[in-house]
Amino acid sequence: MGLPRPFTRAITEGPTPADLAGAPALPYPSGWAALAFSSELTPGTVLTRPLAGEDVVLYRLRSGALRAIRPYCPHLGAHLGLAHLDGDELVCPFHQFAFGPDGTCVRTGYDTPPPRSPLTRLPVHEVNGAVFVWRHHDGREPDWFVPPWHEIGHRPAREAAWELGGNVQEVIENSVDLGHFATLHGWQRAEMGGPVEYEDDTFHVSMRAHESAPLLGDFVVDIEVDGYGLGCLHADVHTPRLGLRMCTMVLPTAIGPHRMQFRQRNRIAFTEPSRLPAPLARTVSRTAARLLDRAVFRSSCEFTAADFPIWNHKQYLQPPKLAHGDGPIGPFRRWARRFYPPVDAAGSAAPAAWAAGRDSHAVREFGA
């Protein structure tokens, strides 16, 4: 007699992913979280994306305005991720109740008077080619925003997204983890251009990387990083030796305990050679961007992906046992506390925030 099927499977090997290891998770951070790229939401599109243990339904009206709503129909609870848009009305798949742009029910599937049961709208903010939704542990409305950034180059941005274990704070924290740039990413040396500057919900850090490559020899890379909450980084990268400039947007989103989605958006440009006539210099610069755009983006993603196995399996340790050369991780963590529920006298956060993250949301829309 053969073995029962469950006992014929291979023995589990390798590190346990962070979201399966059972270690206590950080609370979901408050603030703006990216749920999609703008390019994914053409007019008439309905998307469902996870955020902090719950689904959020996104859709775009014919005017281009975005809506973000809680996922269940107020009539009998059908999931509105299965709904469709009829013009600017979101139509529930169950009983064909339709909801107008302001969220009110405008008709039923039976031609009877619509009930007073509006959709629950969430604050949504579209900027820099990404769609952000706001959540806060105490339900307050947004009191800061991700600002619009400069656009470089003439080519469209390249975008990529992944899902993995880990917590979003450590993605943002990586920007001040000076030591790992050499040990994990292979930089010969990295140095801070000055103290990290913190201002309310944002921070700024300047870095210089020293690298070496065949044919090029030694060269430097200058990086200016701006962080917005624990869900958005913008990095300006300049390699003077190559004349290459790159803007990278890094967007980690907490979707469950120890689990996140990770989005990256890049644009590149090459400096116009000053020794050439202006029209020719522009042609050379744009041709270089066109030919190298894909390769530069792939290299940027590979650089980022070196962190994936670490984030996917690590635990968040507090307090950490820091060493000289780590970089200013301690001050960063003190700043990051502002995005979590208050700590009580026993040293723990509000229990509800450590669990499924089900809190109240403001219902205004921003950036419509």
Side-chain angles (χ1 to χ4, degrees):
M1 184 174 72
L3 288 172
R5 184 178 297 274
F7 298 97
T8 63
R9 297 173 183 165
I11 292 174
T12 299
E13 295 184 3
T16 302
D19 56 327
L20 301 179
L26 281 168
Y28 297 126
S30 299
W32 292 103
L35 299 194
F37 295 118
S38 297
S39 58
E40 299 179 89
L41 278 161
T42 55
T45 299
V46 179
L47 290 180
T48 301
R49 292 288 160 83
L51 173 62
E54 298 181 337
D55 282 350
V56 173
V57 174
L58 303 166
Y59 58 98
R60 192 184 296 276
L61 306 178
R62 290 175 296 184
S63 65
L66 282 172
R67 296 292 182 266
I69 59 171
R70 289 195 179 274
Y72 300 108
C73 179
H75 173 221
L76 278 174
H79 199 296
L80 294 172
L82 304 175
H84 70 276
L85 281 165
D86 180 7
D88 282 343
E89 296 174 357
L90 188 70
V91 182
C92 175
F94 197 10
H95 296 89
Q96 303 295 300
F97 280 36
F99 300 86
D102 63 353
T104 60
C105 186
V106 295
R107 56 184 168 86
T108 71
Y110 331 123
D111 293 326
T112 55
R116 294 182 179 178
S117 51
L119 302 175
T120 302
R121 290 171 54 188
L122 307 175
V124 60
H125 178 48
E126 184 175 23
V127 65
N128 305 316
V131 176
F132 296 85
V133 171
W134 172 271
R135 65 167 299 283
H136 199 282
H137 62 267
D138 65 9
R140 74 180 63 173
E141 293 190 351
D143 51 13
W144 60 273
F145 296 89
V146 177
W149 299 316
H150 62 270
E151 296 254 331
I152 68 168
H154 70 288
R155 298 192 58 75
R158 288 189 176 270
E159 302 165 340
W162 302 268
E163 187 171 315
L164 63 153
N167 74 75
V168 299
Q169 178 180 318
E170 293 194 295
V171 175
I172 308 301
E173 185 178 292
N174 255 23
S175 59
V176 300
D177 184 349
L178 201 61
H180 95 289
F181 287 115
T183 59
L184 186 63
H185 295 291
W187 288 359
Q188 288 187 335
R189 189 172 83 255
E191 57 197 24
M192 294 283 191
V196 182
E197 300 171 7
Y198 296 98
E199 184 176 354
D200 298 329
D201 300 291
T202 68
F203 72 92
H204 176 84
V205 58
S206 299
M207 285 186 293
R208 169 165 285 186
H210 297 262
E211 296 199 66
S212 181
L215 302 179
L216 290 175
D218 296 337
F219 62 97
V220 298
V221 182
D222 294 315
I223 307 107
E224 301 288 334
V225 177
D226 290 285
Y228 302 89
L230 296 180
C232 181
L233 277 181
H234 178 256
D236 271 314
V237 182
H238 181 211
T239 309
R241 183 83 173 268
L242 303 178
L244 171 64
R245 292 188 178 275
M246 179 173 67
C247 285
T248 299
M249 185 162 63
V250 172
L251 305 167
T253 298
I255 63 173
H258 283 310
R259 192 151 189 86
M260 62 180 168
Q261 290 182 346
F262 183 98
R263 294 174 174 84
Q264 183 170 323
R265 190 172 192 267
N266 286 38
R267 293 177 68 102
I268 70 166
F270 283 88
T271 304
E272 296 180 5
S274 58
R275 65 184 179 276
L276 298 178
L280 180 58
R282 186 178 304 110
T283 299
V284 169
S285 170
R286 294 193 171 201
T287 300
R290 177 174 56 83
L291 294 176
L292 296 174
D293 190 18
R294 183 186 299 273
V296 171
F297 182 62
R298 183 171 62 248
S299 177
S300 177
C301 290
E302 289 172 352
F303 182 92
T304 303
D307 289 287
F308 288 0
I310 306 299
W311 294 331
N312 191 56
H313 296 99
K314 79 184 301 295
Q315 290 186 8
Y316 178 80
L317 297 181
Q318 182 61 30
K321 303 299 188 288
L322 297 176
H324 180 72
D326 283 333
I329 294 174
F332 175 89
R333 291 195 173 186
R334 289 191 289 274
W335 169 79
R337 290 175 190 165
R338 65 191 302 116
F339 302 104
Y340 296 111
V343 176
D344 62 25
S348 61
W354 286 83
R358 297 176 182 275
D359 53 16
S360 60
H361 291 257
V363 297
R364 289 173 53 196
E365 179 188 357
F366 295 84

